């Protein structure tokens, strides 16, 4: 195993030579290790190590987590909702980001606690200013799809420095997208805690 | 391997019986698998599976990440800072949580975007209300230590539903704690992205 790890791909003949054994003596042992999946053998190439490192397994496992399995429910408000009512919805639902939708449920914008705090600092009346004035609007919204990996969604949260992504799918009439969920830094923190709790012992 | 995985600990004799082989035929194969570290053997007990599952390795790796290696700089304000100035600091530093400290740098409280948004909704003048009225104060603050695992910190963020934890150490004079860093859901999201990028290929 060590020889193959260090020097693979290597032929059975070369391994036998290193161990001062005949190829015939070695053949059944190599057969077992190959059948067990620890070594892989290719004709005219030789044996190579098939095992995966812990880091590799880790990365593979993380990359398999999907947005659709982790997304939570989106909290939405209408475009004409006042900033005041949006803040109330945020407190009632205990979320940091609201999605703003049109009558037909098409995604129109995203409004964060930060956007609303900025508005609250201004001179305007929160009761009369509609959320559509404050929100980030399409096409400037970073979104993800249910079939994206959770890793891609997490990378977008970091790259675009946002707290939440709407999970979207194309509208049935083909115009714009519909919000079907949300992925936030809380979602990712929860997934991280789950990873650390894997023990299988 | 599969037999040992499923039924271990199991004696060589029992394995041989299951495979319709003699123990003598099987012995060299078991010896190889044991030497390679995939099986473990104990006298009078039998063979058992020694390999760690991918999930186990995953959990072990995640549990090894430490707060001290991931913490970012704490952004602090004084108790007499106005809510208005605290919000400005939040925007300038682009953080969602500020730590409030006394003259001697002892941690006095924590104030979040949510706390300040609630204040901004009220009738009070943001310019005159000090942040110490709005903040969550010791001993109601959830903290972590540089020597905690990142996993424990992430679990606290989830359990106590907060966006950030101050990383603290005891004050030199023994009274209270000093803030030396912060762990947020952004920190955890960044660590998650790193895990997914492990490839080693």
């Amino acid at each position: 195993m060590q020889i193959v790890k260090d020097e693979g791909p290597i032929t059975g003949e070369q391994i036998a030579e290193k161990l001062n054994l005949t190829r015939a003596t070695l053949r059944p042992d190599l057969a077992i290790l190959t059948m067990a999946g620890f070594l892989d053998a290719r004709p005219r190439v030789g044996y190579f190590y098939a095992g995966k490192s812990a880091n590799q397994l880790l990365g593979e496992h993380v990359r398999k987590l999907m947005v659709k399995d982790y997304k939570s429910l989106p909290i939405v408000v209408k475009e004409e909702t006042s900033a005041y009512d949006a803040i109330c919805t945020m407190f009632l639902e205990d979320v940091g980001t609201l999605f703003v939708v049109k009558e037909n449920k098409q995604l129109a914008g995203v409004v964060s606690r930060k956007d609303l705090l900025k508005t609250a600092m201004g001179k305007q009346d929160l009761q009369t200013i509609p959320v559509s004035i404050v929100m980030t609007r399409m096409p400037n919204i970073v979104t993800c799809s249910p079939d994206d990996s959770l890793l891609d969604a997490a990378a977008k949260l970091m790259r675009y420095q946002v707290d939440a992504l709407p999970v979207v799918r194309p509208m049935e009439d083909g115009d714009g997208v519909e919000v079907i969920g949300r992925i936030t830094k809380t979602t990712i923190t929860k997934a991280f805690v789950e990873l650390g709790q894997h023990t299988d012992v």
Side-chain angles (χ1 to χ4, degrees), chain A residues 139-156:
Chain A
N140 300 320
I141 302 171
V142 190
T143 66
C144 66
S145 131
D147 295 318
D148 287 346
S149 72
L150 195 60
L151 178 67
D152 285 342
K156 278 184 182 175

Side-chain angles (χ1 to χ4, degrees), chain A residues 50 56 70 151 154 157 168 172 183 186:
Chain A
Q56 223 177 317
Y70 283 85
L151 178 67
L157 289 170
V168 302
E172 270 174 26
I183 293 287
T186 306

Side-chain angles (χ1 to χ4, degrees), chain A residues 50-121:
Chain A
K52 289 172 177 177
S53 75
N55 268 347
Q56 223 177 317
L57 288 169
L58 188 64
E60 274 178 23
H61 183 100
V62 172
R63 287 191 290 278
K64 271 186 212 148
L65 309 177
M66 301 295 286
V67 162
K68 60 168 159 280
D69 300 320
Y70 283 85
K71 67 182 167 61
S72 45
L73 286 176
I75 309 299
V76 303
V77 292
K78 293 183 177 168
E79 291 175 285
E80 57 274 20
T81 307
S82 71
Y84 185 91
D85 287 345
I87 296 173
C88 293
T89 303
M90 225 170 231
F91 280 111
L92 280 172
E93 302 282 354
D94 199 23
V95 292
T97 307
L98 299 173
F99 303 125
V100 185
V101 295
K102 300 188 180 178
E103 282 302 330
N104 63 355
K105 294 186 175 165
Q106 188 187 330
L107 177 65
V110 170
V111 66
S112 70
R113 223 175 251 161
K114 198 169 154 185
D115 297 326
L116 290 169
L117 188 55
K118 205 178 285 173
T119 311
M121 293 278 282

Side-chain angles (χ1 to χ4, degrees), chain A residues 1 3-12 15 30 33-34 37-43 45-51:
Chain A
M1 286 283 301
I3 292 172
V4 177
K5 264 194 193 175
D6 294 344
E7 313 192 13
I10 182 170
T11 65
I15 302 172
L30 286 172
L33 291 172
T34 307
F38 301 116
L39 297 186
D40 232 332
R42 271 194 219 134
V45 176
Y47 293 91
F48 53 93
Y49 184 60

